[in-house]
């Protein structure tokens, strides 16, 4: 069983690896992508325990010495580059505190009209004839909307291309684009989300760190949203649900995220010391993942909150923004394009994994936004 194998399958088919991992017990042992072996938590209560336990730390410096960091998709060690995704303990708590109000339901809710305007503009732009909403909208909207909040809307297309290039040999140049974008947002465009974040961080935060934090917002937002938007739009056009109000729409969006969890696994964690877990002894520096998708899709999952956005101190900081972006896209699609229809039967849609610990996305989403041509 290789959970990281890239597979292509029908739109409603879950990746077989999740059922296989579940069958292997609450703590499955797998071959690690960076060499050696690794552990995957497949059970809800155990996952919440691990995600709240500081002995499972994020710092890639704790990865086994034998790991090839690039192959394992690791960020730089926390000492090399401060980042919310790799910091632990008080450093992490400080970063979360700076981001929290800006990314709260209230903080983000203020921007809803701007997000809707971006969705409307991008959909209207491609509305004539048959369009591939996966390539022409899902990959462009989240990054363009986040650029709008950062005051660098004009970087939308370049940032969108840079997100795709981050998984290729062009990654260093793509990273350069993000650093440039962040620099412009921080210095040239007046008040925006980047400057608001800077104002909430300690005054001695370096320019490089500030730019990296902006990069993280754009990149973390794009790689997950890209996937969830395609599935949401496909289901909306196929099912044509009656969603009379915001509450109904939000519930539909969340249900869609549970059917197609955009982040199938957490990022890597590493044990800081020897740990006893689910009857196994994990040596220090053991790599551990949580199978968020497998747990969310488990037919025997206990009632209660899902794990789509993770849990514990690293719970997705962008969860409110993600839900707003999804609602904005759904609102515009259903209200501005009420006659839009899938150009192929829903059952023929295919999904493909991005690779590594990332989720999957629709290979194409052919749609007629205005079937009558008006
Ligand atoms: C449907 C869309 C999204 C999903 C399913 C998702 C999922 C997740 C998950 C599961 C984690 C925790 C990873 C772990 O514990 O290792 C996470 C963390 C994070 N997400 Fe999201 N995310 C989404 C959208 C976004 C957006 C739009 C942003 C933009 C701000 C964002 C920014 C982040 C950041 C910065 C972290 C790191 C938080 C930390 O380590 O404290 N995410 N996300």
């Amino acid at each position: 069983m290789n959970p990281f194998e890239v597979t292509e399958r029908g739109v409603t088919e879950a990746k077989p690896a999740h059922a296989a991992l579940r069958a292997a017990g609450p703590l499955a042992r797998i071959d690690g992508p960076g060499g050696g072996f690794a552990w995957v938590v497949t059970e809800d209560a155990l996952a919440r325990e691990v995600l709240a336990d500081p002995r499972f730390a994020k710092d890639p410096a704790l990865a086994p010495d034998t790991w090839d960091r690039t192959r394992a998709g690791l960020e730089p060690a926390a000492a090399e580059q401060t980042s919310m995704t790799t910091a632990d303990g008080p450093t992490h708590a400080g970063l979360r505190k700076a981001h929290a109000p800006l990314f709260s339901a209230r903080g983000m809710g203020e921007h809803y009209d701007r997000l809707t305007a971006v969705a409307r503009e991008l959909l209207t732009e491609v509305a004539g004839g048959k369009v591939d909403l996966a390539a022409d909208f899902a990959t462009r909207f989240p990054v363009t909307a986040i650029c709008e909040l950062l005051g660098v809307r004009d970087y939308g297309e370049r940032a969108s291309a840079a997100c795709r290039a981050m998984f290729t040999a062009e990654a260093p140049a793509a990273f350069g684009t993000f650093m440039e974008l962040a620099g412009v947002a921080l210095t040239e465009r007046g008040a925006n989300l980047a400057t608001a974040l800077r104002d909430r961080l300690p005054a001695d935060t370096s320019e490089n760190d500030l730019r990296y934090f902006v990069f993280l917002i754009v990149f973390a937002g794009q790689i997950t949203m890209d996937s969830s938007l395609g599935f949401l739009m496909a289901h909306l056009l196929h099912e044509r649900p009656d969603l009379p109000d915001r509450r109904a729409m939000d519930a539909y969006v969340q249900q869609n995220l549970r059917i197609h969890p955009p982040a199938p696994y957490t990022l890597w964690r590493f044990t800081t010391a020897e740990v006893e877990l689910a009857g196994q002894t994990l040596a220090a520096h053991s790599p551990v993942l949580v199978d968020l998708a497998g747990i969310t899709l488990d037919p025997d999952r206990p009632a209660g909150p899902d794990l789509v956005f993770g849990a514990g101190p690293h719970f997705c900081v962008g969860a409110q923004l993600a839900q707003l972006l999804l609602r904005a896209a759904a609102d515009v699609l259903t209200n501005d394009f009420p006659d839009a229809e899938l150009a192929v039967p829903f059952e023929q849609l295919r999904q493909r994994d991005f690779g590594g610990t990332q989720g999957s996305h629709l290979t194409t989403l052919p749609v007629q936004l205005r079937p009558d041509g008006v």
Side-chain angles (χ1 to χ4, degrees), residues 289-348:
L289 276 185
V290 173
D291 183 3
L292 300 173
I295 294 170
T296 304
L297 294 166
D298 183 355
D300 298 325
R301 184 174 75 81
D306 57 57
L307 280 171
V308 163
F309 290 105
H314 290 274
F315 179 85
C316 177
V317 83
Q320 297 295 338
L321 172 58
Q323 280 157 336
L324 282 185
L325 287 167
L326 290 166
R327 171 148 49 92
D331 271 347
V332 173
L333 180 67
T334 51
N335 294 326
D336 292 26
F337 303 93
D339 301 322
E341 54 189 36
L342 289 173
V344 297
F346 177 78
E347 296 71 23
Q348 281 181 20

Side-chain angles (χ1 to χ4, degrees), residues 51 58 84-85 92 96 103 146 216-217 220-221 224-225 228 257 262-263 266-267 269 292 307-311 313-319 321-322 325-326:
L51 294 175
K58 299 290 295 284
M84 222 175 343
T85 41
H92 178 253
R96 288 292 298 213
F103 287 87
I146 293 172
L216 185 63
I217 292 167
T224 41
M225 294 302 305
S228 47
L257 290 172
T266 54
L267 301 175
R269 281 161 175 72
L292 300 173
L307 280 171
V308 163
F309 290 105
H314 290 274
F315 179 85
C316 177
V317 83
L321 172 58
L325 287 167
L326 290 166

